[in-house]
Amino acid sequence: MNADATNEIVDPSLSDAIKDWNDYTAESVKNALIVLEAITPVKDNVQVTQQVIEAFKNTDWQPASKKLLDPEVLAAVGRELAEIQKAAMERLMEGCNQYLVTTQEAGKKFADNLKDVKSPQQFLAAWLESSLDLVKDYQQNATDQASNLGTIQSAYKAWLQSTLQNLSAK
């Protein structure tokens, strides 16, 4: 079968949809590798551990122990942590809600794409394009969630660093 015969058999919209999926898949693999290289939990853990060790080494424990027993200091530390946790939960819930909105909108888009379908190939093409749009929307949601998690992690690290500094200060 030659290329012209194939073009006559396969609806152009279906060929375009398959090409779009192939392009997206190739790009997604590259992006996934970049993301995986950016995730460094061991490095992050080592950094936090080094900060804690340095704080312990450089602390004059006599005044620090008084701070550790001061209810006002402990309450302030607890309030700061609670604020971070509350903000983190709000951000994570917003992200979950966005997934629900994306799913709801996907149904509407799919129905709209099916309005002018006249053949099984066009139906398949519409389905492929709709599902690709949905995957891209979910990917954006996941990117937003990852960004939120990075922000939350930074807030916890900053809290730990400031708490260690405040408790070990003379």
Side-chain angles (χ1 to χ4, degrees):
M1 183 179 289
N2 63 31
D4 292 332
T6 303
N7 288 339
E8 293 173 11
I9 296 172
V10 178
D11 189 284
S13 63
L14 182 56
S15 293
D16 291 344
I18 292 170
K19 181 187 177 309
D20 290 344
W21 262 105
N22 283 335
D23 293 345
Y24 174 77
T25 303
E27 186 67 27
S28 292
V29 169
K30 291 177 191 173
N31 291 339
L33 292 173
I34 290 169
V35 168
L36 289 175
E37 288 173 0
I39 297 173
T40 57
V42 173
K43 179 183 165 195
D44 294 342
N45 192 12
V46 167
Q47 180 185 9
V48 169
T49 303
Q50 285 174 339
Q51 289 175 345
V52 171
I53 289 170
E54 284 301 312
F56 280 132
K57 283 182 187 177
N58 298 326
T59 298
D60 180 0
W61 284 101
Q62 188 172 10
S65 64
K66 290 178 185 173
K67 286 184 181 181
L68 286 172
L69 298 174
D70 184 352
E72 288 181 30
V73 171
L74 291 178
V77 167
R79 270 192 306 276
E80 290 172 12
L81 181 59
E83 288 172 12
I84 292 169
Q85 289 177 316
K86 181 181 178 224
M89 288 306 300
E90 287 172 358
R91 284 189 125 175
L92 292 174
M93 286 305 299
E94 288 170 8
C96 290
N97 288 335
Q98 187 56 49
Y99 280 107
L100 295 174
V101 168
T102 297
T103 302
Q104 182 182 15
E105 290 172 354
K108 292 176 187 174
K109 288 178 187 177
F110 183 65
D112 288 344
N113 286 347
L114 292 179
K115 286 181 183 175
D116 298 324
V117 170
K118 295 178 181 34
S119 73
Q121 287 188 23
Q122 288 178 351
F123 175 86
L124 182 57
W127 182 82
L128 285 170
E129 290 295 346
S130 295
S131 63
L132 181 58
D133 289 343
L134 178 60
V135 167
K136 287 178 179 179
D137 290 344
Y138 279 150
Q139 183 180 33
Q140 183 59 50
N141 291 346
T143 300
D144 294 344
Q145 280 289 67
S147 175
N148 285 338
L149 290 173
T151 301
I152 291 166
Q153 181 184 30
S154 294
Y156 280 124
K157 281 182 179 178
W159 171 83
L160 177 62
Q161 190 172 38
S162 119
T163 299
L164 290 172
Q165 286 173 349
N166 290 338
L167 291 177
S168 64
K170 295 180 182 180

